[in-house]
Amino acid sequence: MNKNQAFPWDHPRFRSWIGVARACQLMQQAMSRAIAGLGIKPPHLDILVNLYRFDGISQQELARKLLVGRSNMSMLLPHLEKRGLIERRADAKDKRVLRLSLTEAGRSLTEEAMTIQTGLIERALSPTPAERCLQVAEAMEDLIHILQTMDADDEPDDA
């Protein structure tokens, strides 16, 4: 590289990106440890929380919300189903569509896991003023919108 040329890590946006990525990775590791006693991992927790919020969501809608492929979703769901935490039912109007719901055991475990998750987030972010947390959230929401727009722009047109 040219002596006068800046390295990527010298740029504030790059530093921000690395900070977000590292914080996310460390939080995932901490969350894994925190919920290990429940016999679930963060991807399972993501599924359970979404089913808690959106009862009866289709498998495809859930995969889209979690930004994972349907094949990845198909690998995660059987573990939760075998444990009696979720149930899959055919849609009343379209038998090809599977609707997902929490069982009573699933709802109870999800509530316990959300308490753990909320506690971990609170411990990690309590030194940070709420206003600053909201600024970070807004910046990440802006970034999500930009990335989703970029992704949509990269998709080929059906012509």
Side-chain angles (χ1 to χ4, degrees), residues 15 22-23 52 58 70 107 147:
R15 181 177 168 210
R22 292 199 66 214
Y52 193 92
S58 75
R70 284 182 292 192
R107 181 167 286 281
L147 292 170

Side-chain angles (χ1 to χ4, degrees), residues 79-90:
H79 171 77
L80 299 173
E81 198 171 26
K82 283 179 193 167
R83 286 192 55 195
L85 302 174
I86 67 166
E87 55 188 15
R88 295 190 256 192
R89 292 185 310 264

Side-chain angles (χ1 to χ4, degrees), residues 2-37:
N2 181 322
K3 189 171 155 179
N4 296 326
Q5 190 173 5
F7 292 100
W9 51 86
D10 294 331
H11 295 280
R13 288 181 179 93
F14 187 88
R15 181 177 168 210
S16 174
W17 179 255
I18 294 300
V20 168
R22 292 199 66 214
C24 184
Q25 187 175 31
L26 289 169
M27 184 58 97
Q28 283 287 81
Q29 290 171 359
M31 189 63 63
S32 290
R33 289 188 302 272
I35 62 174

Side-chain angles (χ1 to χ4, degrees), residues 109-143:
L109 183 118
T110 303
E111 288 170 353
E112 189 176 349
M114 287 190 301
T115 299
I116 292 169
Q117 181 182 43
T118 303
L120 178 59
I121 293 167
E122 186 59 34
R123 279 197 337 263
L125 293 175
S126 64
T128 307
E131 183 179 299
R132 189 160 176 214
C133 288
L134 288 174
Q135 289 171 342
V136 171
E138 289 170 3
M140 292 302 102
E141 289 163 3
D142 289 346
L143 179 59

